[in-house]
Amino acid sequence: MENSILSLLIWLPIFGGGLVILLGNERAVTARWVSLAISILVFVMSLSLWTGFDSSTHLMQFAEKSSWITYFNIYYHLGVDGISMPLIILTTFSTILVIAAGWEVIQKRPAHYMAAFLMMEGLIIGVFSSLDAILFYAFWEASLIPMLLIVGIWGGDNRVYAAIKFFLYTFLGSVFMLVSLIYMYNKSGSFSILDMHDLSLTVAEQAWIFWAFFMAFAVKVPMFPVHTWLPDAHVQAPTGGSVILAAIMLKMGGYGFFRFSLPITPDASLQFSGVMITLSLIAIVYIGFVALVQRDMKKLIAYSSISHMGFVTLGVFALFLAYNPNSPEGAFLGLEGAMVQMISHGFISAAMFLVVGVLYDRLHSREISTYGGVINTMPKFTGFAVLFAMANAGLPGTSGFVGEFMVILGAVQANIWYAVLAATTLIVGAAYTLWMVKRVFWGKITNPAVQTLNDINSREFSILAILTLAVLIMGLYPQPVIEVIHVSIDHLLHQALASKL
Amino acid sequence: MENFYLTIALSPLLGAIIAGFFGRTLGRTATHTITVLGVLVSTVLALMVFNYHVLEQGAIFNQNLYTWMQIGELNISVGFLVDNLTAVMLVVVSFVSLMVHIYTIGYMHDDKDYTKFFSYISLFTFSMFMLVMSNNFMQLFFGWEAVGLVSYLLIGFWHHKESAIEANLKAFLVNRVGDFGFLLGIGLVLAFSGSLDYAEVFSSLDNTLNQQLWGMDLITVICLLLFVGAMGKSAQVPLHVWLPGSMEGPTPISALIHAATMVTAGIFMVSRMSPMFEMSDVALTVVMIVGAITALFMGLLGIVQNDIKKVVAYSTLSQLGYMTVALGVSAYSVAIFHLMTHAFFKALLFLGAGSVIVAMHHQQDIRKMGGLRKKMPITYWTGLVGTLALIGFPGFSGFYSKDMIIEAVHFSNLPYADWVYYAVVAGVFITAFYSLRLFFLVFHGQSRVDPHTESHLHESPLSITIPLIMLAIPSAIIGYFTIEPMLFMGWLDNAITVTSSHLPMAGLRNEFHGATAMIFHAVQTVPFWMMIGGIATAWIFSIYRTQWADWVQKKFSIIDYVLQSLYGFDRFNEIVFVKGIKKLGNFLWKISDSALIDSIIVNGSAKFVGFIASIVRPIQTGYVYHYAFFMIFSLLIILTWTLFMGNNPLLVI
Amino acid sequence: MTFDQILFYVFSFWFIASSLAMIFSRNAAKAVLFLILSFFSAASIWILLEAEFLAITLILVYVGAVMVLFLFVIKMLNIDKSTLRAKFAGYLPLGLVVAIIIVAEMALVLGSNQFGLEVIAAPARHAADYSNITVLAMQLYTDYVYPFELAAVLLLIAIIAAITLVHKNEGNRKSQNISEQVSVKAKDRVRLVSIVTPDKGGKS
Amino acid sequence: MINTFQFDTTSLTAILPEIFLLSAIVIILLLDLFLTKPFKQVTYYLTQISLLITGVLAFNLIGQPETIILGGSFVLDDMASVFKVFLMVSAMVAMVYSRHYLLQHTLFRGEYFVLIMLSILGMMVMVSGYSLLTLYLGLEILSLSLYTLIAIARDRSEAVEAALKYFVLGAIASGLLLYGMSMIYGISGSLNIGEIMAFSSSATLASRDILVLNFGLVFLVIGIAFKLGAVPFHMWVPDVYQGAPTSVTMFISTVPKIAAVAMLVRLLVDGLGMMQSYWSDLFMMLAILSIALGSIVALLQTNIKRLLAYSTISHIGFVLLGFSTGVVSGYGAAVFYILAYVLMSLAAFGVIILLNKKGFEADLISDYKGLSKHSPWFALMMLIVMLSMAGMPPFIGFYAKLLILQQVVSSGMIIVAIIAVVFAVISAYYYLQIIKSMYFEAPDKEINLSAPIDMKLILSINAVLILVVGLFPDFWMKLALSLF
Amino acid sequence: MISLSDYLILSAIIFCIGLVGIFVNRTNIITLLMCVELILVAVNTNFIAFSYFLGNEAGQIFVFFILTVAAAEVAIGLAILTLLFRNKGSISVDVTNSLRG
């Protein structure tokens, strides 16, 4: 049993989701409780990854390996290191919130809704724990399916367009990855990701593979200019969908850069780091300005997600310039900052979408102009909202600060101009977030409907409170996370810096 | 010892948490008791710390509390550095904060968010402690932003006022502009030193020698970037625009945050970084000039303001400018000295103003006041003390600090120091003028109060007057007692570094012959007569011949226009930054993102595929002879390809 | 030019000419007749190739049965009149170009370089007692018994198909039912209808 | 040329399935004449039993050594046996689905089943054909049966029109195929696949031989491409799919594809394997065209049968891509792909038929609106099918594409692989349209499923298999690859 | 002597006439069936010529079967044609385009 914890984490929610489907929409109450129970159970189990984790080694832990498709040498090979483990816990954590957040809000086919999230949880854990490229790819693609349905069935008015756009966009991105994985298989005879890390590739091969990976991961992250699916998907998705999308699915892209791009194509990563950094900086600055003028809250948060994820890619690709053999801290700051930013963005964007969800559930509008003076009727809620907004704006003491701080410090060592551009988010990020806060929460009540709002109930309160704790703990004491990821990042850094030529 | 300092920081935090989460349950009395007690504990302990470090010359305390993060060799921790500078700051912050807490009991009595307010100001106190006790840049930045957060929340405390929530957004964003530079500065610090710990950074300053960035010495760039942060927080031109707006918040926080403590964080920070600033004359010159501009021009604006708090606010800006000038001329201890005295008398003035405002039922226009002296004696007398301290009337605390700054500039060997000297001296006149104008208009002369309010006018309750009195005492005397130890007996020496090439402090030391001597010496100095001139002018325009003021205003209408429009900073920001950035954002969104990327490239390629499909589809005409022709034509192509083209042509023509 | 060659060219000419006439004929019945002419030419060519059995079969099976079937259908559906105007003028040039290119390419491959007499000499004529039919029969029922069976299946399919498709169900058949006719009664034949005259009482 | 002829009955065990099936056909044909209306179902059950027994017989022959009997016209090898088993299984499944459709649309006639069995016999002949002649005859048996089956709904003018188009084009195609066969025969002097192989692989092949072989090859490829429905010989596919009765469409789109692949293998791999460098280029062109056209034109379709027709074209492109690699494992991949395709296609048409009612064909995408409301289970099944067709893991369609792509990439045609996956993404769009209709849109009419339980059960198993085989594809991959 | 290539070219010409006939002809479908017959005759001629020149009867056997198949094919083709006439009242090629796109 000790060794099959990852399998349990993957398959328990998937089969649990199946069970919930079988319960049916008619028995919604039971379905909800069962879903919640499963998600909590999975979360608790996932904590054992943390407690049992040996942070002194970069080797894969909790590994499982059994043959699957022998013709291709494809193994059912699972394992986690410091890069994937926190993301798995983030996944299990977010799923609880999402299930709780959809508790009474989702009246349309509630059991299916819960089941979709449970299944997606399992699939995403699969993505993060796969050590075989095809297994990874299978989970990667399969996780699109529940999301497609979530957006398409439970989404807003324009959900069909958004769902299909999301699906095709990400699908298109990932097929290129598939081709390059196959290419490497043909070279090495193995689909094992770890073998691919050691596979030697020429400059041209690396360049092709790098861009193929780029297509897959950049779309997912999303990086400029392949980001336009995100605002649509986020806006149309139900609250839970937006949360998972922002909190976890975007991380799959970042994770891809960590797990694939850097170790497999180090030379190409070095070669194209300039392009990547440029795109990241465009995402940070340009998207910040775009976010500023949004009138739809979800769209604003969606754009802010793009901007924040720009820090991830910036941190990752700044390492080559930031690295200095005498003091590798610059590169570490970038990479670990990217990692921390991913986790923290998981909390904050989830919180922000939940905040919008709370409002949307009440007035069924995402327009900023509908609101105004919400604090007058929902003071507790406003407290949370302002806190998360501050976290979104990167206030020290919240998790939002840590990643940005680290990445900017790392970027300074790469090139001061990167840091200058990245640091504009301090201003722009605060501007769009707080301007929205101002228009939604502060001020007089202008819309009579706002007068009728009820403050958050205890369920909503607990969800937001849990996230608050997460945001604050992560902001005040990030060291446990850093400790877990450090050795793995150190190993990754060596892989990324060691030329394969 | 560690727990000792920790208690100082945490007891207001505890108060804040209790007040914030349980305030409504506990009720008003319990809430303010708890928070006041929290700050009281801090104050007492701060005094003990002051005693230990400053008076008993205790050792510097520098210790990490916990590791915030450890990356390779880089350790970023949360920890405390307590030296004499910190000790002074602790006393100032805790004392003013305590006074404000007490004052708030009366001032906010009728507010429905009474408990929340206490929670906020306690939280602020905690943040400020974290800022001043920090031993590293990360924590400094944390405190720096945390006080900004509380400031944001408190400016917008009356969130139903549109002007308040405009102002808090503006305050936060302008501060963020400063933080932008500050963070980059921190990044560069880390880059050259590999550490964020003050001690380690200062010990590795040699690394920056001979390093260039952007055509300047690296250290200059770093100092300038850090100073950008200070400019934001300490409201130096051109990042001063938020401070007048912040007066939209309740008066206690104007006193605490926007006069006495938070805005001085920039001054504190530069003093803390004195080893770095000392390495760059360019940076120091910039600091000095920015300070001088602020001191002079912001003071001028005070003259034309009619809102009681705005006048005090511009005076604060001007005084901050003085402090910055002091920093610029390497007279850090003088800056801190002025910081301290200013904290007391400006808090006093603000609280006094608040007292007047409460009495006037929140009427803030000084043109509608007058003759309040009789009705509010305590406010009047404490206000007088504050005003005299502010204008630097000999003997009052402000006199010592301001005079020292002017003298220090006099001794400075930096370029442009002579111009700065004229500016700060002119500033004395202006300060006296607007301060006394305010004082006269409010307390003297004919009452212009509307009758209804007039009938209810009375002195404020004890909770308001006690802090006034408590603050009036140091405002009056603290300068006299502390000037010598603080400036010349090395109170701050273990925190501040001054390079020998920077002369002002040595010059001052030579000139200084005791606090009492200074008073007598004052009458022979230019600043004194400038001050007298200012007082006289104020008397003429406000009391003796009020119509002259209108005449002057008409005669110099251009100057008046410039001053009334606040030199156009706000309009510039409105047009360039607010509207311009919105336009840019809309352009990027509508044109670049939606139209170009999404519609043309993304959906366009989808549409393109559809277009191809609509072209290809009609080939399937439904007519069987077309199908046959298609097959045969394909046969022709394939045959030709196989025979003549392809990889292995069978026939070579 | 040997007699063989003369025969070959004559038959070839007729073969080609009648085929062309067939495809350009506007009248279906005439087209069938041209096709029959081509089949005759083809059969003649086959005889030149000593495939007497197949030549005869072509005439007997094709001309005798299949072509008659064509004619039968044409007459049955009454489509022999040239009411359907030929509209191929527009396609003809393109079609001809394509056809000519294909023929040219085929001719390149099939030309004398590959299949000329120098490459593959004409075999000697069989002796007079050579029986094409015997030789074929010998093989057909031994080596080719499996295809032969399959051909039977094919014909079975043709039968089933023809019946399935064209044979009408009983309900549609226009046949008399004698017993019904005989057992008819008078009341079934004459239907008495009472006509209600509108009331002329004039209340209108 | 084989002159010695032994009519050894023991050798006939190799052809036992065919013999059994033909006997069964004849018996059922006769029996059907005497069955009155109430007992018509007997024909159906007899057909199923016959197919089952034939399948079992074929299954028993798996593992036999390669046997060539009947004058070299018939070969029994593992590929033949395995294909026959798959033919039977897929035909049986198709029959289960068809019964519902035929009953709903009053097409339930004994001839239908007889013709289906005859066409299966033709396919078996093709699968086991070892001479040009038997391959041709098998193909014609199949084709003639199919023409008839399409036109069996003789009151529906679309069905007749479809049959006619298929017939005319099919006749041209078999003419072209025959022309090619005549060339192969002419240059190699034999109709036997083995001898053709021997001829074409002889070291002393003159340039004349190569020229004529390849000349013939072009026509063979066209004939095969037509049968498979590859672009540019695909034009019958959409019309026939749309016009034919759905049960026939289902049949045409599935079972004969296996046979066509078998014929391809017999002719081009077993017979002209040495010419691979010539035909693989051709196939690659056809494959890319098929994938592209199938993916693009389907985007605009509103009729689901027509849409699936284009989807078939695109899938066939992938199959041809496997063959174009010219290596054994590539052929294996193609076979795996075609089997996977048959599995998916059966399920897709199964769902269409499931929804059929009297007077309601359920062949428009809009007919699926809100299916997930009325029948979540079968909507889920259709979802699986569509995603699998789109090539999403973990369904079988993904592994099929994976195998093909792996082969394509390993033969160095990375650009081709990229083109293929891009079009696969484009084709995902139209599969999503169906998902959209089922899941994202509200129903505008009542849908109740009147299909019998056996159909529902088989359909469920069929769709679930798509997932299960997707999760555990190892056995099937190895099986497909072991055939070469 | 007549060479093999003469026969082959003759049949190639006939073959192409058959092909062209199919698509230049829109008058009626029955002509299409006849064109198919023409194609088959051309192929048959090929087989017979090869058979003759190779001295190998397999080609002739093949032709035998082609003739059989062709006959069966014609039967089915005419049956379908009849059905078409019943359904549409015409056998013009132009009426058979209700399935398209």
Side-chain angles (χ1 to χ4, degrees), chain B residues 131-194:
Chain B
L131 193 159
V132 299
M133 292 204 285
S134 164
N135 71 347
N136 65 75
F137 283 90
M138 189 286 295
Q139 192 183 338
L140 175 69
F141 193 74
F142 165 76
W144 194 260
E145 289 257 315
V147 293
L149 166 73
V150 186
S151 156
Y152 166 81
L153 293 172
L154 284 169
I155 296 170
F157 190 76
W158 287 320
H159 44 75
H160 50 84
K161 273 165 71 184
E162 188 62 26
S163 56
I165 58 176
E166 291 276 358
N168 74 344
L169 183 61
K170 186 169 161 189
F172 198 87
L173 293 184
V174 174
N175 268 301
R176 271 294 169 105
V177 175
D179 297 348
F180 166 76
F182 193 29
L183 187 56
L184 289 174
I186 293 175
L188 285 174
V189 166
L190 177 69
F192 83 75
S193 70

Side-chain angles (χ1 to χ4, degrees), chain C residues 41-195:
Chain C
S41 320
S44 317
I45 302 267
W46 292 5
I47 288 174
L48 282 181
L49 290 166
E50 296 190 334
E52 298 88 0
F53 171 68
L54 291 173
I56 300 296
T57 313
L58 185 69
I59 303 298
L60 291 183
V61 175
Y62 260 73
V63 177
V66 176
M67 288 300 113
V68 171
L69 194 58
F70 269 100
L71 276 177
F72 182 74
V73 171
I74 288 166
K75 287 298 166 192
M76 183 177 81
L77 303 181
N78 200 20
I79 47 176
D80 58 327
K81 299 200 187 73
S82 55
T83 47
L84 301 163
R85 303 296 303 171
K87 296 178 209 158
F88 48 67
Y91 293 88
L92 191 58
L94 185 60
L96 284 179
V97 168
V98 170
I100 288 167
I101 297 174
I102 294 180
V103 169
E105 286 181 357
M106 284 172 143
L108 271 177
V109 177
L110 305 174
S112 46
N113 280 344
Q114 279 75 30
F115 293 107
L117 283 173
E118 313 81 51
V119 183
I120 178 163
R125 293 282 177 194
H126 287 291
D129 63 344
Y130 167 77
S131 168
N132 179 236
I133 200 162
T134 319
V135 172
L136 291 188
M138 282 301 293
Q139 298 210 1
L140 205 54
Y141 295 107
T142 54
D143 284 345
Y144 294 96
V145 65
Y146 180 52
F148 193 77
E149 292 290 334
L150 295 177
V153 173
L154 255 168
L155 292 174
L156 178 65
I157 291 174
I159 294 166
I160 297 173
I163 293 172
T164 309
L165 296 182
V166 189
H167 176 72
K168 289 195 173 179
N169 292 332
E170 281 174 30
N172 300 338
R173 207 174 288 161
K174 289 169 182 149
S175 56
Q176 292 174 311
N177 189 336
I178 307 291
S179 63
E180 245 177 49
Q181 285 176 332
V182 168
S183 62
V184 74
K185 295 194 176 79
K187 69 178 169 74
D188 297 329
R189 292 193 181 174
V190 180
R191 190 162 52 109
L192 294 175
V193 182
S194 62
I195 300 166

Side-chain angles (χ1 to χ4, degrees), chain A residues 257-271:
Chain A
F257 282 120
F258 278 99
R259 181 67 84 228
F260 288 87
S261 296
L262 284 186
I264 295 178
T265 60
D267 302 288
S269 301
L270 168 63
Q271 187 186 351

